[in-house]
């Protein structure tokens, strides 16, 4: 096989936190020509062309597994190679400095910023009560990063989370969303991109973002 | 602009076929669940709920395969309910591709199961289904009770208090079915929907009794539900999901189009 014919591989990192089938089937759906592997083997992640770092559930449990498996270090190394890396939902939150969830959890410190609680009595600007978790389809206001190609401004994506991200540097913000408070729905730095919503569950817009990621060279 | 109200077509599945009963009995066939789920996905449904109505009595292998097939073709959230009684049942359904599971009777018999499930898998994937029936008579302060076994067994539990307790126990969402309304096409029980929506901090899905698009609107505006679920109006193509959304939008409700 020549390099041209070699199948591109995307590794979905599995650290036992939740269902990765939907991520895998969405990736296969948008890029049948690529090889999608769900793996907890660092060697497989290292040889992949692209890496996806998902996550669901409580941050305390996620961070415990990430650290036990040494995936915090693995992520740093993979990001340093320059290959495209995509964090999803709690995977994105784990990349930050710290989360307020579970009475405070120290995270991986790859992206500077905090993960904050929407609050017990969360309200919109008019004072109406807002349900937490923030669950459902909300509008995403995005910049002109290549991962937003062919995705309309203010397209709706599917969110489900009770904690939101506030990055410390405005330059990292690739998209915002409003749910009583404006939060950072997507962050990016170099070859790293991270989203709070679930692209694999966000129908046309989400599939387009995954497709864009699978054809991204890691350069903004 | 804000979070959209969700429209959730529900597939009641009996032995691998979509069916819809009237007041939980008297079933008619509505087709292949995989084809129907795919159609709803393509039409712009916001989520799909799959309720295995045979689950309490029969084997679950068919259900697991059907869920797997749906999950590989549907790129919106998928909730699976019916006969979810153990942490293993939840794991099986999540592994088959469900994003959330709906716990009904098992929560009533063992509320700590909801706690354990939420701790293990996260509140985001734990939906507690409540089947409520009005037990007060006209002129009394309205009161609703929880029923189990498809609406056949009363429990004496107050529905609003139960919903609040389930939210405390880690439910991420309440799927509220009015047993009086279910299958009747007379609309949601807006009283219990409103009472529970106002009482709990988590999202509430209204269910049971939708016969026309105004019922969906009422569920949101009068019942204050975060999402509206319907089955037969979509299965039998009385209305499509886009028609439902256009209708809701025309009445000022934010929807995903």
């Amino acid at each position: 096989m020549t390099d041209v014919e070699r199948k591109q591989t995307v590794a979905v990192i599995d650290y036992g936190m939740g269902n990765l089938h939907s991520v895998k089937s969405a990736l296969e759906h948008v890029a049948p020509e690529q090889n999608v592997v769900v793996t907890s083997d660092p060697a497989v992640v290292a040889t992949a062309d692209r890496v996806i770092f998902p996550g669901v559930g409580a941050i305390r449990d996620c961070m415990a597994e990430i650290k036990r498996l040494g995936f915090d270090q693995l992520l740093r190394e993979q990001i340093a190679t320059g290959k495209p890396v995509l964090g999803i939902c709690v995977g994105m939150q784990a990349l930050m400095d710290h989360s307020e969830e579970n009475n405070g959890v120290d995270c991986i410190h790859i992206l500077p910023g905090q993960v904050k609680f929407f609050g017990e009595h969360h309200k919109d600007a008019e004072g109406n009560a807002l349900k937490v978790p923030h669950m459902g389809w909300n509008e995403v206001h995005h910049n002109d990063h290549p991962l937003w190609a062919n995705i309309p401004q203010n397209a709706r994506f599917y969110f489900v989370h009770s904690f939101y991200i506030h990055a410390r540097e405005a330059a990292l913000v690739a998209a915002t969303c409003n749910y009583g408070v404006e939060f950072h729905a997507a962050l990016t730095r170099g070859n790293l991109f991270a989203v709070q919503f679930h692209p694999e569950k966000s129908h046309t817009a989400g599939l387009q973002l995954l497709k864009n990621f699978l054809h991204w060279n890691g350069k903004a | 602009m804000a979070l959209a109200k969700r429209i959730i077509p529900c597939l009641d599945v009996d032995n691998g076929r979509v069916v819809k009963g009237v007041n939980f009995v008297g079933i008619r066939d509505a087709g292949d669940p995989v084809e129907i789920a795919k159609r709803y996905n393509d039409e712009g449904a916001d989520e799909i709920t799959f309720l295995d109505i045979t689950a309490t009595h029969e084997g679950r292998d068919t259900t697991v395969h059907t869920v797997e097939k749906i999950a590989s073709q549907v790129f919106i959230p998928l909730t699976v309910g019916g006969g979810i009684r153990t942490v293993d049942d939840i794991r099986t359904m999540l592994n088959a591709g469900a994003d959330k599971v709906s716990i009904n009777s098992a929560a009533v018999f063992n509320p700590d199961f909801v706690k354990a499930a939420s701790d293990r898998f996260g509140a985001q994937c734990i939906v507690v289904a409540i089947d409520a029936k009005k037990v007060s008579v006209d002129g009394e302060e309205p009161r609703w009770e929880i029923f189990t076994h498809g609406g056949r067994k009363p429990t004496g539990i107050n529905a609003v208090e139960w919903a609040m307790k389930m939210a405390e126990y880690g439910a991420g969402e309440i799927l509220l079915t009015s047993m009086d309304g279910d299958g009747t096409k007379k609309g949601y029980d807006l009283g219990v929907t409103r009472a529970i929506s106002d009482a709990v901090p988590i999202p509430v899905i209204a269910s049971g009794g939708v016969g026309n698009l105004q019922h969906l609107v009422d569920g949101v505006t009068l019942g204050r539900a975060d999402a509206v679920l319907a089955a037969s109006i979509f299965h039998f193509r009385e209305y499509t999901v886009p028609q439902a959304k256009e209708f809701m939008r025309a009445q000022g409700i934010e929807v995903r189009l």
Side-chain angles (χ1 to χ4, degrees):
Chain A
M1 236 193 237
T2 69
D3 279 353
V4 178
E5 286 167 335
R6 194 185 75 86
K7 261 193 172 189
Q8 296 257 304
T9 294
V10 54
V12 181
I13 299 183
D14 181 6
Y15 51 102
M17 297 305 294
N19 155 34
L20 302 178
H21 289 255
S22 47
V23 177
K24 184 170 194 277
S25 60
L27 292 167
E28 284 169 343
H29 184 81
V30 296
E33 75 287 359
Q34 294 198 18
N35 187 25
V36 182
V37 287
V38 175
T39 182
S40 54
D41 182 350
V44 173
V45 175
T47 57
D49 300 286
R50 292 180 182 80
V51 175
I52 292 186
F53 183 55
V56 296
I59 192 77
R60 172 197 59 213
D61 299 344
C62 284
M63 280 310 305
E65 282 306 285
I66 288 164
K67 287 192 167 158
R68 187 178 69 80
L69 294 161
F71 285 175
D72 44 349
Q73 191 51 33
L74 175 70
L75 274 168
R76 283 178 203 290
E77 289 164 8
Q78 290 303 303
I79 293 166
T81 65
K83 69 174 70 165
V85 176
L86 176 65
I88 298 176
C89 195
V90 179
M92 176 196 199
Q93 297 186 352
L95 296 169
M96 310 306 293
D97 290 325
H98 182 267
S99 172
E100 288 180 359
E101 193 176 2
N102 305 128
N103 299 318
V105 172
D106 191 44
C107 297
I108 308 180
H109 298 268
I110 287 175
L111 293 171
Q114 300 292 316
V115 187
K116 301 177 171 192
F117 186 35
F118 280 120
E120 296 277 355
H121 303 284
H122 196 50
K123 289 187 168 56
D124 67 13
E126 284 85 46
N128 302 307
L130 292 174
K131 300 299 179 80
V132 175
H134 173 222
M135 183 184 288
W137 300 78
N138 207 339
E139 292 178 322
V140 168
H141 186 76
H142 60 71
N143 67 3
D144 57 359
H145 191 279
L147 259 65
W148 302 115
N150 300 314
I151 296 174
Q153 188 58 271
N154 297 324
R156 288 185 188 270
F157 288 83
Y158 185 80
F159 290 86
V160 51
H161 61 125
S162 299
F163 295 81
Y164 67 92
I165 283 171
H166 186 81
R168 208 163 57 232
E169 297 166 18
L172 299 175
V173 179
T176 58
C177 178
N178 195 300
Y179 191 63
V181 58
E182 187 178 87
F183 68 91
H184 299 150
L187 299 176
T188 185
R189 187 173 63 199
N191 54 312
L192 173 63
F193 201 90
V195 292
Q196 177 64 68
F197 51 80
H198 285 274
E200 75 281 11
K201 287 290 155 189
S202 296
H203 201 217
T204 317
L207 294 176
Q208 183 66 52
L209 184 126
L210 291 176
K211 189 173 184 176
N212 293 343
F213 174 73
L214 292 176
H215 295 92
W216 184 38
N217 62 7
K219 295 183 174 74
Chain B
M1 297 300 275
L3 189 63
K5 299 296 179 182
R6 290 169 278 155
I7 293 189
I8 309 178
C10 176
L11 314 179
D12 296 80
V13 179
D14 184 3
N15 277 320
R17 296 290 289 178
V18 174
V19 295
K20 185 60 205 176
V22 177
N23 282 330
F24 276 59
V25 289
I27 280 165
R28 56 173 174 159
D29 190 280
D32 173 46
V34 182
E35 272 173 35
I36 293 175
K38 178 83 169 48
R39 185 175 90 209
Y40 293 147
N41 174 79
D42 296 346
E43 282 186 357
D46 297 312
E47 293 188 31
I48 289 173
T49 290
F50 179 113
L51 291 181
D52 186 2
I53 62 171
T54 58
T56 8
H57 311 294
E58 299 180 40
R60 303 179 57 76
D61 290 356
T62 315
T63 307
V64 174
H65 289 306
T66 309
V67 169
E68 277 171 355
K69 276 195 225 154
I70 292 175
S72 65
Q73 297 182 38
V74 161
F75 303 106
I76 56 177
L78 174 65
T79 301
V80 178
I84 302 287
R85 283 182 295 251
T86 65
V87 163
D88 278 345
D89 290 339
I90 298 176
R91 189 178 293 112
T92 300
M93 286 308 168
L94 297 182
N95 285 341
D99 299 288
K100 314 181 202 179
V101 292
S102 168
I103 303 173
N104 191 339
S105 304
V108 178
F109 300 132
N110 177 17
D112 284 334
F113 173 49
V114 172
K115 237 180 215 172
S118 182
D119 274 354
R120 176 65 189 83
F121 302 103
Q124 82 292 333
C125 75
I126 305 299
V127 180
V128 170
I130 293 179
D131 293 341
K133 239 184 211 180
K134 197 170 190 177
V135 292
S136 53
V137 295
D138 286 349
E140 277 181 355
E141 179 88 354
R143 210 177 81 87
W144 299 268
E145 254 180 40
I146 302 297
F147 280 67
T148 60
H149 297 85
R152 295 191 297 274
K153 288 194 188 173
T155 62
I157 301 170
N158 179 295
V160 178
E161 288 167 13
W162 178 248
M164 292 166 74
K165 178 170 171 174
M166 289 297 96
E168 265 171 46
Y169 274 43
E173 198 169 26
I174 298 287
L175 167 53
L176 172 66
T177 301
S178 156
M179 306 306 294
D180 302 305
D182 203 61
T184 64
K185 296 184 165 275
K186 291 178 182 163
Y188 302 119
D189 180 333
L190 298 171
V192 70
T193 305
R194 169 96 179 240
I196 291 182
S197 294
D198 284 349
V200 299
I202 56 177
V204 172
I205 304 165
S207 159
V210 173
N212 61 49
L213 301 181
Q214 186 61 41
H215 292 153
L216 301 177
V217 169
D218 293 344
V220 170
T221 55
L222 302 174
R224 294 194 185 170
D226 302 281
V228 285
L229 179 143
S232 53
I233 62 161
F234 296 131
H235 300 334
F236 298 109
R237 314 229 74 174
E238 290 160 38
Y239 303 100
T240 64
V241 174
Q243 280 173 337
K245 289 191 166 183
E246 285 293 353
F247 189 87
M248 290 172 78
R249 185 171 71 162
Q251 301 207 31
I253 296 173
E254 254 185 74
V255 292
R256 176 179 71 106
L257 288 170

